[in-house]
Amino acid sequence: MKTIGLISANYGSSAFGALLDNRSLASLPYGGRYRLIDFTLSGMVDAGIENIGIITRTKYRSLMNYVGSGKDWDLNRNNGGVTFLSPYFEAGSGPLYTNRLEALYNSIKYIQQSKADYVLMSDCDLVASFPFKEALEFHEKAGADITVIYTKHEFDYNTMLKSKLNNYFEFPFELDMKEYL
């Protein structure tokens, strides 16, 4: 099963604030030695994926400097390897995209040219040793068109809303966000 990987380098939590003023989320340092993208890149390579596209939007110079040719992940190849899919990857690709779907559409020629059977997509902020190989095997055995892997979280909407707005003003009362859902 020929699989390519796509990593979204700019989408993720907005909780990092000023840390992302001059860099993409993927190039954010982690543990003093690594960058967030290390986990996803390593997981895809461990799963046998030899062709990985990194979808970028803005502020990706430090990411390109860090990943380079992909040598640290054994992705420095004549065919395949690592490819940066900038908003202007292809001439005439249109305006700067504003969401993930537009970013994926902007990468469609890259996907088609790969002639891959499967496309594994992930964000760059997956800080885990994720079993991508097992997920791909599960997907193939299931015969599904799409497999989505996620974690379910229970949210306390009052606390979440307060934590996002608390820097601006204090709430004198409790909000019941469930009535707005």
Side-chain angles (χ1 to χ4, degrees):
M1 102 179 115
K2 184 175 179 187
T3 304
I4 64 167
L6 287 178
I7 302 173
S8 296
N10 286 89
Y11 294 100
S13 176
S14 60
F16 295 105
L19 292 173
L20 300 180
D21 283 349
N22 298 309
R23 69 176 72 237
S24 66
L25 181 63
S27 64
L28 189 68
Y30 184 86
R33 180 177 176 190
Y34 303 102
R35 306 292 174 107
L36 287 183
I37 197 166
D38 280 318
F39 297 93
T40 306
L41 271 174
S42 295
M44 288 185 177
V45 169
D46 290 347
I49 298 172
E50 299 175 345
N51 189 355
I52 299 173
I54 301 173
I55 299 174
T56 63
R57 183 175 185 272
T58 59
K59 300 181 262 184
Y60 50 90
R61 183 179 57 192
S62 66
L63 179 62
M64 290 179 75
N65 289 340
Y66 180 74
V67 173
S69 66
K71 182 181 176 189
D72 291 341
W73 298 271
D74 195 27
L75 291 170
N76 54 332
R77 306 160 188 266
N78 290 333
N79 294 315
V82 67
T83 303
F84 285 90
L85 304 170
S86 71
Y88 309 108
F89 176 66
E90 178 126 354
S93 61
L96 185 65
Y97 52 80
T98 58
N99 58 52
R100 289 175 198 252
L101 190 56
E102 289 176 5
L104 185 59
Y105 180 76
N106 199 43
S107 306
I108 199 74
K109 285 190 179 179
Y110 172 79
I111 295 168
Q112 290 170 338
Q113 289 172 352
S114 74
K115 296 183 176 31
D117 301 314
Y118 300 103
V119 177
L120 190 145
M121 297 173 55
S122 179
D123 282 340
C124 63
D125 58 349
L126 178 65
V127 181
S129 178
F130 193 83
F132 286 122
K133 185 173 185 171
E134 288 82 357
L136 288 167
E137 289 169 356
F138 173 84
H139 174 77
E140 189 175 35
K141 286 178 186 173
D145 292 331
I146 297 174
T147 299
V148 177
I149 301 168
Y150 65 95
T151 57
K152 185 175 180 179
H153 296 279
E154 296 294 327
F155 289 104
D156 177 354
Y157 294 101
N158 292 320
T159 303
M160 183 178 70
L161 186 61
K162 278 184 179 182
S163 68
K164 289 184 182 242
L165 299 177
N166 205 28
N167 294 334
Y168 304 104
F169 57 90
E170 290 289 328
F171 284 105
F173 55 89
E174 290 292 316
L175 294 174
D176 185 10
M177 291 302 294
K178 292 179 184 170
E179 69 184 61
Y180 298 104
L181 301 176

